[in-house]
């Protein structure tokens, strides 16, 4: 995140960070890991903690799209080609790298039970082509978010560029809002193309736009003034929806359920944003750390969950193939979800931090060698 919003005046400040945004992302990624850690059945509705899943799933992904819109800078539209390349580098490259790791290591990991099959050379080539075309491997299943976010951000860059060129200032937001609504309707339509997750991007672009509006019109001031109201109302609304409906499990929803899902998604997202602005939360270094590594945790937590799955297989004497269950070993109850959550967060973030340290050392070493010459 290279730009954030000043919570006092709504102005984008380059090169700085706002603690509450990182904290909100930290809370969000913890909820993502918990939601997957308690999904101990092939169908979420059959999981032991289905109530927890139904509550969390209403808003945990809309929250990330909303926060991404909140830090989106309209200046990207001034240099669309350069900005597009920058965003492809930021999203597509990590997407390919993370997925390719598991393509390359597929057979060794299959011996550990991560996968139930072994790849031939033809399989490796096929999966490589799938990854390069943004196909998501099951072990990286949560990376659909990265793909959708890339499409959304690039779409907003070019939308802003075209609107700035063709639309008078007084009508710009009306035109953009209308286009976003049309994209939302298209995303919920069965005729929407599903290639590259285009339908998912069209749907979640609306939450990204809500974040843009919060920043542009400094709507966060209303959240800051009555944080407890947003928190309590968010808890109440999402609890009610979780009890009366299964909408929280549906993700991209239908026209009939959109209003219910939208209310839960927005109220839950604003609840987390309000909570994250309390000093105790926004100054929490651990939350900020997880928030800063949220994309890496999103990408890797399914894989790091396998560490706990291997432990469970050993403890209960299960067939090694149980390790291949995604996201966690099916049919196992108890408090294993806590260990899954901790492992998914710490190991995933730790791997990224370790990579950054090695990269930093190599860069310094190269610079020293260059200076010596």
């Amino acid at each position: 995140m290279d730009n954030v919003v000043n919570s006092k005046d709504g102005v984008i400040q380059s090169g700085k960070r706002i603690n509450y945004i990182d904290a909100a992302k930290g809370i969000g990624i913890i909820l993502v890991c918990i939601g997957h850690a308690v999904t101990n059945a092939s169908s979420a509705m059959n999981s032991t903690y289905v109530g927890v899943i139904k509550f969390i799933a209403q808003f945990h992904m809309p929250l990330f799209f909303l926060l991404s819109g909140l830090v989106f800078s309209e200046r990207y539209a001034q240099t669309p080609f350069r900005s597009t390349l920058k965003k492809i580098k930021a999203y597509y490259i990590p997407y390919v790298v993370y997925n390719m790791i598991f393509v390359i290591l597929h057979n060794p990991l299959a011996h550990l039970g991560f996968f139930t099959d072994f790849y031939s050379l033809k399989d490796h080539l096929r999966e490589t082509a799938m990854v390069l075309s943004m196909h998501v491997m099951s072990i990286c299943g949560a990376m659909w978010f990265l793909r959708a976010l890339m499409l959304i951000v690039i779409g907003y860059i070019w939308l802003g560029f075209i609107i700035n060129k063709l639309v008078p200032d007084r009508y710009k937001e009306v035109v953009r809002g209308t286009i976003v609504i049309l994209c939302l309707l298209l995303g919920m339509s069965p005729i929407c193309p599903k290639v590259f997750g285009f339908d998912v991007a069209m749907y979640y672009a609306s939450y990204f736009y809500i974040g843009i509006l919060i920043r542009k019109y400094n709507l966060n001031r209303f959240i800051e003034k009555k944080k407890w109201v947003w928190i309590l109302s968010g808890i109440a609304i999402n609890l009610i929806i979780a009890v009366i409906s299964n909408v929280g499990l549906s993700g991209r929803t239908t026209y009939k359920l959109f209003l219910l899902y939208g209310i839960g998604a927005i109220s839950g997202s604003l609840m987390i944003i309000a909570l994250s602005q309390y000093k105790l939360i926004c100054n929490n270094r651990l939350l900020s750390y997880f928030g800063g590594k949220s994309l890496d945790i999103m990408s890797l937590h399914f894989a790091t969950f396998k560490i706990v799955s291997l432990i469970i297989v050993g403890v209960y004497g299960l067939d090694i193939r149980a390790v291949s269950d995604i996201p966690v070993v099916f049919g196992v109850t108890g408090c294993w979800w806590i260990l899954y959550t901790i492992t998914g967060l710490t190991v995933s973030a730790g791997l990224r931090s370790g990579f950054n340290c090695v990269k930093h050392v190599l860069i310094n070493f190269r610079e020293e060698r260059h200076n010596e010459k």
Side-chain angles (χ1 to χ4, degrees):
M1 186 193 308
D2 55 353
N3 298 289
V4 296
V5 182
N6 184 302
S7 60
K8 297 300 182 183
D9 56 19
V11 176
I12 290 287
Q13 294 185 324
S14 179
K16 298 182 180 180
R17 302 182 77 95
I18 291 296
N19 288 346
Y20 86 82
I21 294 179
D22 277 343
K25 290 169 63 180
I27 295 172
I29 200 62
I30 290 172
L31 292 177
V32 167
C33 287
I34 291 175
H36 288 143
V38 298
T39 308
N40 62 347
S42 57
S43 169
M45 287 300 297
N46 296 327
S47 298
T48 305
Y49 301 100
V50 64
V52 175
I53 299 172
K54 288 167 65 176
F55 179 82
I56 292 174
Q58 293 177 69
F59 60 85
H60 68 332
M61 294 315 301
L63 169 67
F64 280 101
F65 288 107
L66 191 152
L67 290 173
S68 297
L70 188 60
V71 299
F72 180 78
S73 173
E74 292 186 8
R75 79 169 191 272
Y76 292 139
Q78 298 173 7
T79 55
F81 288 102
R82 183 188 304 171
S83 297
T84 298
L85 290 175
K86 180 180 179 181
K87 294 306 176 183
I88 289 174
K89 181 180 178 181
Y91 299 128
Y92 180 75
I93 292 178
Y95 182 97
V96 170
V97 169
Y98 281 136
N99 278 277
M100 281 304 302
I101 288 173
F102 295 105
V103 172
I104 295 170
L105 298 179
H106 182 93
N107 287 346
L109 292 175
H111 285 289
L112 295 175
F114 281 44
F115 306 106
T116 57
D117 60 346
F118 290 86
Y119 281 175
S120 64
L121 176 60
K122 182 179 179 180
D123 293 328
H124 275 99
L125 293 175
R126 183 192 67 246
E127 290 302 314
T128 297
M130 295 291 281
V131 168
L132 293 176
S133 61
M134 304 198 78
H135 168 76
V136 183
M137 296 186 67
S138 58
I139 199 170
C140 298
M143 288 190 70
W144 67 266
F145 167 77
L146 203 60
R147 179 178 62 188
L149 183 60
M150 185 186 75
L151 294 176
I152 291 170
V153 171
I154 292 175
Y156 270 97
I157 289 172
W158 285 96
L159 178 61
F161 174 75
I162 294 170
I163 288 177
N164 288 340
K165 292 290 185 180
L166 303 178
V167 181
D169 289 344
R170 62 190 299 182
Y171 298 119
K172 284 182 180 179
E173 209 57 59
V174 174
V175 172
R176 181 158 60 174
T178 301
I179 292 175
V180 169
I181 292 174
L182 292 175
C183 289
L184 172 63
L185 296 175
L186 176 62
M188 291 187 289
S189 170
I191 67 171
C192 186
K194 293 180 172 55
V195 62
F196 302 135
F198 184 77
D199 56 334
V200 176
M202 289 294 97
Y203 176 75
Y204 280 105
S206 58
Y207 297 106
F208 189 92
Y209 183 55
I210 291 173
I212 289 178
L213 293 179
I214 291 175
R215 171 188 55 79
K216 184 170 184 177
Y217 297 105
N218 194 22
L219 300 180
N220 185 58
R221 67 184 186 275
F222 299 111
I223 302 175
E224 285 183 308
K225 289 179 181 178
K226 298 289 184 180
K227 292 188 286 289
W228 65 272
V229 173
W230 293 99
I231 294 170
L232 293 180
S233 61
I235 292 173
I237 290 171
N238 284 271
L239 280 176
I240 292 172
I241 295 176
V243 170
I244 67 175
S245 174
N246 297 329
V247 67
L249 301 177
S250 64
R252 188 177 64 88
T253 189
T254 61
Y255 295 123
K256 292 182 180 179
L257 295 175
F258 167 69
L259 182 60
L260 187 63
Y261 183 85
I263 291 173
I266 294 172
S267 64
S269 298
L270 297 181
M271 170 186 69
I272 299 301
I273 291 175
L275 177 63
S276 67
Q277 294 186 65
Y278 282 102
K279 288 185 178 180
L280 183 64
I281 303 297
C282 72
N283 293 329
N284 187 289
R285 293 185 178 181
L286 187 61
L287 285 177
S288 295
Y289 174 73
F290 288 147
K293 300 291 187 295
S294 58
L295 285 181
D296 302 289
I297 297 172
M298 190 84 72
S299 303
L300 294 174
H301 71 281
F302 275 14
T304 55
F305 274 3
K306 301 299 183 183
I307 297 171
V308 182
S309 294
L310 285 168
I311 295 173
I312 290 175
V313 165
V315 170
Y316 293 105
L318 303 177
D319 190 310
I320 190 63
R321 289 176 294 183
V323 176
S324 66
D325 291 346
I326 293 178
V328 300
V329 175
F330 298 153
V332 176
T333 58
C335 296
W336 288 103
W337 66 271
I338 298 176
L339 186 56
Y340 271 118
T341 301
I342 294 172
T343 302
L345 291 167
T346 57
V347 177
S348 300
L351 287 172
R352 180 61 184 184
S353 295
F355 172 79
N356 289 341
C357 288
V358 172
K359 180 180 178 181
H360 181 70
V361 169
L362 292 176
I363 291 174
N364 287 341
F365 177 75
R366 186 175 62 182
E367 291 178 349
E368 289 178 359
R369 291 290 300 273
H370 178 74
N371 291 335
E372 290 176 358
K373 292 180 181 181

